[in-house]
């Protein structure tokens, strides 16, 4: 069954249009609230948001939806996505909601739902809620309308939890860290956590005004932090995105360290410490072949999934893995969080930096990525089913057989085919990608 509202990471869109209106937010609240009214206890939902201007509107609409069907609401205010997951579980809530469009610009917003276990909803639960959105829900009598309240200590609870992901013996004394919070949800959480652990903290992206989230800062715009790390002669830089579920690291030389290198570090170290589960790491088809080869050299496997952290998480839970993520910076460490948590992952990197005594550039360059090229081709029709395109893909796979990979996928949000190839010979990889792109263009004309 196709999805009408939910994508790979909740409902997302441009605010005040399409699926991202106050009216839709209220309907989602009524539908999800009704679906999770199970048992005779007093039902509760926790709601967090990032720093977008539209967050106030969406939050108020969702409060109206949930309370109208009899569910109490706990408002967390601006908080990272993983904090919502954590607090939904620790507060014994029936549901958690994060209002955020992650790394998107402020004009967009989104709704992510978490179950009482702190994990994102299953496909079955999302489809059930989706089917209820367009239906009129039964409103409770006046005496059963839910109540809403804000809690003031959500920030402190989350800081305590993320610090607890490190042993009590680990401190960050002597480290000079630049932290970029993307003017997003972690602006008042991650810098204090680093400071409490002893680090010298230089803050960026901690002045949200409702309109500047992810604007020229954060994990998707790292030029600013790369420059700042070098200027400040810092030991390392940590860049989060708007809802702080992903991170990118910058070493002391101003070089970007992506999710593949971070997974390599954590996977290797946890394995050597006897902490790694599943015998390897879970990542998507977009992770570099260099990561796979590095893990093989450590006697570990790389399990690949479709693009999207929900698919990484599904594979992790199915195979009992505890380390997974995406090249883009989503890091899922199931020993400490039920979803991607940029702050928790950053602390693992910082702990390794302290314990190794190495510079970040030495610690975080564990393998040389093989040349990887990704190009997007807009299309009409169904070009991937045409013989010419199939032949081009097969030819490319033949050229790179045993020394590289070809990954072809359609975008889930726009009419674009993403053509990725990687291998040891950069020129050969580019020829393969260009040949497939030309075939897709020809089939679409």
């Amino acid at each position: 069954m196709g999805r009408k509202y939910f994508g790979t990471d909740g409902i997302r869109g441009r605010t005040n249009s399409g699926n991202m209106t106050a009216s839709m937010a209220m309907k989602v609240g009524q539908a999800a609230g009704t679906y999770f009214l199970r048992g005779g206890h007093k039902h509760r939902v926790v709601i967090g948001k990032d720093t977008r201007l539209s967050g106030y509107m969406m939050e108020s609409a969702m409060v109206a939806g949930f309370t109208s069907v009899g569910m109490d609401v706990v408002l967390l205010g601006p908080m990272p996505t993983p904090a919502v997951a954590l607090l939904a579980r620790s507060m014994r809530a029936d549901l958690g909601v994060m209002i955020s469009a992650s790394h998107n610009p402020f004009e967009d917003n989104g709704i992510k739902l978490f179950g009482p276990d702190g994990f994102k909803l299953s496909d079955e639960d999302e489809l059930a809620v989706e089917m209820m959105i367009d239906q009129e829900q039964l409103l409770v009598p006046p005496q059963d309308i839910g109540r809403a309240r804000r809690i003031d200590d959500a920030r402190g609870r989350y800081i305590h939890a993320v610090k607890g992901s490190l042993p009590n013996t680990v401190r960050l004394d002597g480290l000079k860290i630049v932290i970029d919070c993307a003017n997003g949800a972690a602006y008042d959480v991650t810098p204090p956590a680093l400071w409490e652990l002893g680090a010298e903290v230089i803050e960026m992206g901690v002045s949200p005004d409702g309109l500047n989230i992810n604007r020229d800062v954060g994990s998707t715009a790292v030029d600013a932090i790369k420059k700042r790390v070098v200027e400040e002669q810092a030991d390392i830089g940590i860049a989060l995105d708007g809802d702080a579920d992903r991170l990118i690291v910058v070493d002391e030389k101003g070089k970007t360290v992506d999710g593949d290198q971070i997974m390599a570090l954590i996977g290797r170290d946890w394995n050597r410490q006897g902490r790694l589960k599943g015998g390897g790491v879970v990542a998507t088809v977009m992770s570099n072949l260099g990561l796979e080869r590095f893990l093989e050299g450590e006697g570990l496997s790389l399990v690949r999934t479709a693009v999207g952290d929900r698919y990484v998480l599904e594979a992790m839970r199915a195979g009992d893995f505890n380390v997974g993520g995406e090249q883009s910076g989503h890091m899922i460490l199931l020993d400490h969080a039920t979803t991607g948590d940029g702050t928790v992952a950053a602390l693992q990197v910082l702990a390794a930096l302290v314990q190794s005594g190495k510079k970040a550039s030495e610690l975080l360059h564990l393998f040389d990525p093989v040349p990887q090229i990704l190009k997007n081709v807009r299309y009409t029709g169904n070009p991937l089913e045409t013989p010419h395109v199939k032949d081009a893909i097969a030819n490319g796979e033949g050229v790179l057989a045993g020394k590289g990979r070809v990954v072809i996928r359609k975008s889930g949000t726009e009419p674009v085919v993403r053509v990725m190839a990687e291998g040891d010979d950069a020129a050969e990889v580019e020829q393969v990608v260009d040949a497939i792109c030309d075939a897709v263009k020809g089939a679409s004309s």
Side-chain angles (χ1 to χ4, degrees):
M1 180 184 296
R3 291 169 175 261
K4 183 177 180 181
Y5 300 120
F6 285 92
T8 57
D9 198 16
I11 304 171
R12 189 177 297 185
R14 189 176 179 88
T15 310
N16 263 355
S17 64
N19 294 335
M20 203 42 54
T21 63
S23 175
M24 172 59 74
M26 186 175 72
K27 290 179 180 178
V28 172
Q30 290 176 329
T34 299
Y35 183 69
F36 280 92
L37 286 173
R38 303 169 181 173
H41 62 280
K42 188 61 178 176
H43 294 82
R44 176 186 296 165
V45 56
V46 298
I47 300 179
K49 61 182 179 179
D50 64 22
T51 56
R52 295 163 209 273
L53 178 63
S54 58
Y56 293 96
M57 176 186 76
M58 302 297 287
E59 178 187 63
S60 298
M62 297 205 78
V63 169
F66 281 116
T67 55
S68 70
V69 297
M71 188 170 274
D72 285 348
V73 179
V74 177
L75 298 170
L76 307 178
M79 290 291 289
T81 288
V84 174
L86 169 78
L87 292 170
R89 185 167 59 172
S90 68
M91 295 184 70
R92 312 301 192 266
D94 300 275
L95 190 64
V97 177
M98 180 63 182
I99 301 171
S100 174
S102 190
H103 57 280
N104 287 23
F106 89 92
E107 295 92 343
D108 294 344
N109 217 327
I111 299 170
K112 303 179 185 182
L113 301 179
F114 294 88
D117 58 0
F119 289 97
K120 291 179 181 178
L121 297 192
S122 66
D123 289 342
E124 293 76 15
D125 283 340
E126 278 192 351
L127 286 172
V129 172
E130 186 168 271
M131 292 178 64
M132 296 172 67
I133 289 175
D134 292 329
Q135 302 170 1
E136 290 291 330
Q137 302 304 317
L138 180 65
L139 305 183
V140 299
Q143 67 271 19
D144 293 330
I145 291 173
R147 300 173 184 269
R149 60 175 292 189
R150 291 188 180 273
I151 60 171
D152 297 325
D153 63 344
R155 170 180 167 273
R157 294 189 194 196
Y158 180 62
I159 290 174
H160 178 75
V162 297
K163 286 168 55 183
S165 67
L166 294 181
N168 291 334
T169 55
V170 175
R171 293 185 54 87
L172 304 182
D173 300 85
L175 278 188
K176 189 175 186 179
I177 303 170
V178 178
I179 173 67
D180 181 352
C181 296
N183 291 316
Y187 79 98
D188 199 27
V189 172
T190 305
L194 298 177
W195 177 82
E196 289 181 20
L197 288 166
E200 179 184 349
V201 180
I202 299 166
E203 301 178 2
M204 295 178 58
V206 292
S207 302
D209 62 11
L211 308 177
N212 62 358
I213 187 171
N214 299 314
R215 185 196 297 164
D216 301 324
V217 286
S219 63
T220 53
V222 294
D223 286 347
I225 189 173
K226 290 167 68 174
K227 180 180 179 182
R228 189 72 178 274
V229 166
V230 174
E231 288 177 348
E232 298 282 354
Q233 296 183 324
D235 296 297
I236 196 169
I238 302 295
L240 306 174
D241 68 337
D243 69 334
D245 66 351
R246 71 164 75 180
L247 86 152
I248 294 294
V249 174
V250 176
D251 69 24
E252 84 282 359
K253 297 179 180 179
K255 183 177 179 180
T256 301
V257 179
D258 67 13
D260 284 349
Q261 297 283 358
I262 297 169
M263 283 187 282
L265 173 69
I266 297 175
R268 181 199 67 181
D269 285 1
W270 282 24
N271 182 54
R272 292 179 178 179
Q273 297 162 14
R275 299 169 57 195
L276 189 69
K277 298 178 182 177
V281 171
V282 179
T284 76
V285 293
M286 301 306 292
S287 278
N288 195 272
L289 184 59
L291 171 62
E292 187 172 342
R293 291 173 175 174
F294 171 81
L295 291 174
E296 287 175 353
E298 293 287 321
L300 302 173
S301 63
L302 179 66
V303 175
R304 293 186 182 271
T305 73
V307 174
D309 64 320
R310 71 180 294 127
Y311 302 115
V312 172
L313 181 57
E314 286 174 3
M316 291 176 69
R317 297 180 75 184
D320 194 30
F321 292 85
N322 59 349
V323 176
E326 294 189 277
Q327 188 184 68
S328 60
H330 281 116
M331 294 292 118
I332 304 175
L333 306 177
L334 282 184
D335 288 0
H336 305 298
T338 55
T339 188
D341 192 324
T343 304
V344 165
L347 290 181
Q348 297 299 314
V349 173
L350 295 172
L353 191 63
V354 169
Q355 293 165 340
S356 71
K358 296 179 178 180
K359 292 184 178 297
S361 58
E362 300 169 353
L363 178 72
L364 293 167
H365 187 82
L366 295 174
F367 63 88
D368 292 325
V370 304
Q372 186 183 80
I373 296 176
L374 171 66
K375 293 186 178 182
N376 298 325
V377 185
R378 300 193 74 84
Y379 69 88
T380 58
N382 195 9
L384 297 185
E385 296 302 316
T386 63
H388 184 50
V389 173
K390 288 182 176 180
D391 288 344
I393 294 172
N395 289 338
E397 291 173 336
V399 169
L400 296 178
K403 53 184 177 179
R405 298 187 304 133
V406 175
V407 179
I408 312 295
R409 66 183 185 93
K410 288 184 178 179
S411 166
T413 59
E414 55 184 331
V416 165
V417 171
R418 306 197 193 284
V419 180
M420 190 277 280
E422 60 182 358
D424 297 317
D425 187 325
E428 195 172 57
V429 169
E430 187 165 17
Q431 290 173 358
V432 167
V433 169
D434 287 344
I436 297 173
C437 287
D438 289 344
V440 173
K441 291 175 185 176
S444 302
S445 60

